[in-house]
């Protein structure tokens, strides 16, 4: 028996006309996912992969290369998820793979210092304006956990301020009005998070400097933490005035400003969103791109702050696989490509072409839609714009997005399976890829 995504979206199919091209089927993906649900919670290792927000069952990948992904049913997709950001130079880049294989011959993990850590650290410090020293970790969540402890140690304060709809990993302290998977699943928080873990976490409204000052004015907040471009409530771009306002307020009240650049770092610009907007935080978290597809994270900042981290200082944080040679190699080779002149200009031009085209098709077919882009990061919503914060994003038509996602997927376009996720462009995406995507987008916009 063969399945299509739209056949699994029974409430939606009546509004779709007959397809204009042969649609993909997913029998093997359906079989594997059915088995997976008996083996892993929800059948996945990370919640948003389960397609809960868009309906149907997830696609099971077999391999990836360049701008393409290939599933177990033999279908080929133009991929705008890019393993959620890291595949910025394209999947399975030949040079990256070649160097990783050379490193692998020496061992997969040392649990001891290696020269590759120094090399990648120098590249990060050279590129990111706020970073004078860096500590590598194994994930963005782990980087944010270490960052939070460091900020509290440096300021001798406990309170932190985050923003509604911003996601900083699944540590207890951050699962308060979080975006991304939490919003996708309709969970305001998470069971199992003790009240004591979140009592010192306060939430402000993104792009609203006044809401920030209300929370900082008592002078007892250790850190103001934000995504400098939001990617976990969908794509939301800040104003330069908002970011500068946050910088000024942190200076005024003795609070550390933290940019969570796990998603934006080296993606919107070589020096991250802080270079793109010209606003420098005190501490930065990173991940994704700096590992070139390998598990990695990092946090860094001014030397006087980072000197508190053990063993230089008393703030303890450790990790057996941190700085492992495979991740360091993949990161080094990826950053070598990104450092070449004009790379982020190419990414932004491609993102602009894609978003402008999608919005034009939406308008031509009578859909309210808004969107934006920054470097190799983009997104759009089915609603009137502008979207400046999570409350605005929550007004988007999620049901329509589900129909849109299904229609695009069955025609070979792989997009994030949630309206609350940003999209990612790579240097491997060609004009032909984008033109084909827009052709299909026009078909689907006319159907939903």
């Amino acid at each position: 028996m063969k399945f299509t995504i739209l056949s699994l979206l029974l409430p939606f199919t009546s509004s779709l006309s007959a397809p204009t091209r042969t649609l993909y089927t997913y029998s093997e993906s359906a079989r594997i996912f059915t088995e997976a649900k008996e083996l892993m919670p929800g059948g996945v290792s990370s919640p948003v992969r389960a397609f809960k927000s868009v309906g149907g069952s997830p696609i099971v990948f077999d391999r990836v290369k360049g701008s393409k992904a290939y599933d177990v049913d033999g279908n080929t997709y133009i991929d705008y998820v890019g393993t959620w950001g890291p595949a910025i130079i394209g999947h399975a880049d030949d040079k990256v793979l070649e160097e990783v294989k050379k490193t692998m011959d020496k061992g997969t993990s040392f649990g001891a210092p290696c020269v590759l850590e120094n090399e990648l650290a120098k590249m990060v410090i050279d590129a990111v304006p706020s970073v004078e020293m860096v500590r590598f970790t194994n994930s963005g969540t782990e980087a944010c956990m270490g960052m939070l402890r460091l900020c509290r140690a440096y300021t001798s304060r406990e309170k932190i301020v985050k923003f509604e709809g911003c996601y900083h990993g699944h540590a207890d302290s951050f699962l308060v009005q979080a975006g991304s998977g939490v919003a996708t699943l309709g969970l305001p928080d998470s069971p199992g998070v003790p009240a004591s873990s979140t009592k010192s976490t306060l939430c402000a409204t993104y792009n609203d400097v006044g809401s920030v000052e209300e929370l900082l004015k008592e002078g007892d907040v250790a850190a103001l933490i934000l995504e400098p471009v939001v990617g976990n409530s969908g794509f939301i771009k800040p104003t330069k005035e908002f970011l500068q306002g946050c910088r000024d307020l942190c200076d005024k009240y003795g609070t550390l400003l933290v940019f969570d650049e796990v998603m934006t770092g080296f993606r919107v610009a070589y020096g991250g969103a802080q270079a793109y907007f010209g606003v420098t935080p005190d501490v930065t978290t990173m991940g994704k791109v700096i590992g070139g597809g390998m598990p990695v994270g990092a946090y860094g900042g001014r030397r006087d702050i980072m000197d508190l981290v053990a063993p230089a200082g008393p703030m303890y944080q450790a990790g057996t696989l941190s700085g492992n040679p495979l991740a360091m190699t993949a990161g080094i080779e990826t950053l070598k490509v990104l450092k070449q002149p004009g790379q982020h200009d190419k990414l932004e031009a491609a993102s602009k072409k894609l978003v402008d085209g999608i919005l034009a098709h939406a308008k031509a077919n009578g859909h309210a839609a808004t969107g934006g882009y920054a470097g190799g990061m983009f997104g759009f919503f089915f609603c009137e714009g502008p979207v400046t914060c999570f409350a605005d994003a929550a007004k988007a038509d999620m049901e329509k997005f589900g129909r849109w996602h299904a229609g695009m997927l069955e025609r070979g376009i792989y997009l994030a399976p949630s309206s609350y996720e940003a999209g990612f462009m790579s240097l491997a995406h060609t004009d032909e890829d984008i033109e084909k995507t827009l052709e299909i987008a026009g078909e689907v916009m006319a159907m939903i």
Side-chain angles (χ1 to χ4, degrees), residues 338-350:
L338 293 177
K339 192 174 182 178
Q340 296 170 16
Q343 299 290 56
H344 287 86
D345 292 337
K346 294 178 187 176
L347 288 166
E348 183 153 294

Side-chain angles (χ1 to χ4, degrees), residues 100-144:
V100 168
K101 288 171 184 175
K102 290 179 183 177
T103 300
M104 191 179 297
D105 287 340
K106 299 179 179 181
T108 57
S109 178
F110 297 161
C114 72
V115 69
L116 295 167
E117 293 175 273
N118 290 16
E119 187 173 346
L120 184 56
K122 289 175 185 176
M123 297 178 82
V124 170
I125 291 167
D126 179 63
V128 183
S130 66
V131 177
E132 295 178 348
M133 298 186 80
V134 64
R135 166 60 62 89
F136 292 114
T137 63
N138 297 295
S139 68
T141 288
E142 190 180 335
C144 288

Side-chain angles (χ1 to χ4, degrees), residues 80 88 235 237 267-268 276 343-359 371-380 423-427 429-431 434 437-438:
Y80 293 103
I88 190 168
F235 177 92
K237 198 170 181 177
R267 174 159 281 285
V268 302
Y276 187 92
Q343 299 290 56
H344 287 86
D345 292 337
K346 294 178 187 176
L347 288 166
E348 183 153 294
S351 297
K352 180 181 188 302
K353 181 177 180 179
L354 180 67
V355 171
D356 286 352
I358 289 172
L359 295 181
Y373 53 87
M377 188 173 167
F378 66 88
F380 85 102
F424 301 104
M425 187 66 66
S426 81
L427 292 170
H429 283 91
T430 64
D431 284 340
I434 296 171
T437 302
L438 293 177

Side-chain angles (χ1 to χ4, degrees), residues 137-177:
T137 63
N138 297 295
S139 68
T141 288
E142 190 180 335
C144 288
M145 291 170 65
M147 168 274 294
L148 176 56
R149 186 177 301 155
L150 176 60
C151 290
R152 285 172 165 163
Y154 183 82
T155 61
S156 298
R157 300 174 180 178
E158 289 190 12
K159 289 182 181 178
I160 62 169
V161 173
K162 66 178 291 290
F163 289 85
E164 297 171 0
C166 284
Y167 178 74
H168 307 290
H170 59 261
D172 286 357
S173 297
F174 292 121
L175 287 181
V176 179
Q177 298 184 41

Side-chain angles (χ1 to χ4, degrees), residues 287-321:
K288 297 186 185 293
V289 169
I290 67 165
M294 293 287 185
V296 77
Y299 60 99
R302 296 199 321 259
R303 183 174 297 272
D304 64 307
I305 299 173
M306 295 301 294
D307 273 338
L308 282 177
V309 180
M315 198 281 313
Y316 193 77
Q317 178 266 315
T320 299
L321 296 176

Side-chain angles (χ1 to χ4, degrees), residues 19-35:
T20 58
R21 63 181 74 222
T22 301
L23 303 183
Y24 287 176
T25 57
Y26 305 98
S27 298
E28 186 65 4
S29 280
R31 183 193 69 78
I32 293 171
F33 184 60
T34 297
E35 178 185 50

Side-chain angles (χ1 to χ4, degrees), residues 167-390:
Y167 178 74
H168 307 290
H170 59 261
D172 286 357
S173 297
F174 292 121
L175 287 181
V176 179
Q177 298 184 41
S180 191
V182 176
T184 293
L185 295 175
L187 302 174
D189 283 307
S190 173
V193 175
S196 59
S197 296
T198 58
K199 69 179 181 180
S200 296
T201 303
L202 311 175
C203 287
T205 301
Y206 203 80
N207 274 318
D208 182 348
V209 175
S211 73
V212 175
E213 184 154 27
E214 278 298 308
L215 299 176
L216 296 189
K217 65 183 181 181
E218 297 301 319
D220 58 353
V221 174
L224 174 66
I225 303 162
L226 70 153
E227 295 178 79
V229 176
V230 180
N232 289 287
S233 298
F235 177 92
I236 302 175
K237 198 170 181 177
T239 65
K240 169 69 179 293
E241 293 74 20
F242 168 67
L243 292 182
Q244 187 60 55
C246 288
R247 175 69 276 173
D248 294 343
L249 287 172
C250 285
D251 290 340
K252 180 178 179 180
Y253 294 111
T255 297
L256 294 178
L257 178 61
V258 179
F259 280 8
D260 180 349
E261 298 228 38
V262 168
M263 192 174 289
T264 58
F266 293 92
R267 174 159 281 285
V268 302
Y270 188 69
Q274 56 198 265
Y276 187 92
F277 291 104
V279 177
T280 303
D282 300 298
V283 179
T284 299
T285 59
M286 294 161 282
K288 297 186 185 293
V289 169
I290 67 165
M294 293 287 185
V296 77
Y299 60 99
R302 296 199 321 259
R303 183 174 297 272
D304 64 307
I305 299 173
M306 295 301 294
D307 273 338
L308 282 177
V309 180
M315 198 281 313
Y316 193 77
Q317 178 266 315
T320 299
L321 296 176
S322 297
N324 77 82
L326 299 185
M328 299 296 98
T329 297
I332 290 164
E333 295 305 318
T334 297
L335 297 195
K336 284 179 181 178
V337 175
L338 293 177
K339 192 174 182 178
Q340 296 170 16
Q343 299 290 56
H344 287 86
D345 292 337
K346 294 178 187 176
L347 288 166
E348 183 153 294
S351 297
K352 180 181 188 302
K353 181 177 180 179
L354 180 67
V355 171
D356 286 352
I358 289 172
L359 295 181
H361 282 304
K363 182 178 180 180
N365 287 281
H367 302 295
T370 187
Y373 53 87
M377 188 173 167
F378 66 88
F380 85 102
F381 299 93
F382 281 112
C383 65
E384 297 290 348
V387 172
T388 64
C389 63
F390 180 69

